[in-house]
Amino acid sequence: MSPRTLERSLVIAADPDAVWALAGGFATLADWHPHLPPATLEDGADPEAPGAVRVFTLDGAVVARERLLAHEPAARRYRYTLLDPRALPVEEYVATLAVRPHPEGAEVRWSAVYRAADEVAAQVEARFGDGVYATGLRALGERLTSTR
């Protein structure tokens, strides 16, 4: 398994604090992402406390579990790791969702570092990079700019 990186970003014509207010919740990803089911937190965990585990289920089956590693509102970012990868055989998957000031408003960057075999890398790019990250960022941008 080789080390890999994955990144998608989008500049949104909105205030970074407003973007973070919508996108910065570890347990509220489904509030703005059109393809993710609502997440539940295991054991009633605090969604801003490192160690919290969010669980996505579809038709009663767990499709993803992710553990919060850091939640930093002042820096407008959080990091999490994928537990029990079910979708693709990856290891040491750590993702970051960050909102930064940009001359045109805010830049939202969703990135990950992970390990995967060469033959899996394109699938990770397609499924996570395009299907989850890019799709979510587009939806976030549309939601924040549609009321202007």
Side-chain angles (χ1 to χ4, degrees):
M1 296 234 175
S2 301
R4 311 270 179 199
T5 59
L6 171 68
E7 181 179 304
R8 299 294 186 272
S9 65
L10 180 70
V11 173
I12 300 172
D15 178 73
D17 289 331
V19 176
W20 177 252
L22 181 58
F26 182 65
T28 59
L29 190 58
D31 290 354
W32 54 269
H33 197 296
H35 298 300
L36 295 180
T40 58
L41 293 172
E42 287 184 351
D43 303 322
D46 177 347
E48 295 186 10
V53 175
R54 68 182 174 193
V55 180
F56 296 97
T57 58
L58 192 58
D59 296 327
V62 173
V63 293
R65 292 177 65 239
E66 299 168 335
R67 173 174 288 121
L68 182 64
L69 299 174
H71 190 266
E72 303 167 275
R76 292 187 213 94
R77 72 175 168 238
Y78 69 82
R79 285 184 318 113
Y80 63 93
T81 187
L82 182 62
L83 303 173
D84 313 321
R86 295 166 183 349
L88 293 169
V90 297
E91 294 178 357
E92 301 172 26
Y93 188 96
V94 175
T96 302
L97 182 69
V99 178
R100 297 182 177 107
H102 186 276
E104 296 175 28
E107 179 187 22
V108 185
R109 182 172 294 171
W110 205 343
S111 61
V113 294
Y114 64 98
R115 298 179 69 79
D118 292 343
E119 60 271 11
V120 176
Q123 293 174 344
V124 173
E125 283 286 333
R127 185 168 291 167
F128 289 121
D130 299 331
V132 177
Y133 293 11
T135 298
L137 293 175
R138 278 192 305 275
L140 180 65
E142 290 168 6
R143 181 164 175 181
L144 286 162
T145 58
S146 66
T147 58
R148 292 181 173 258

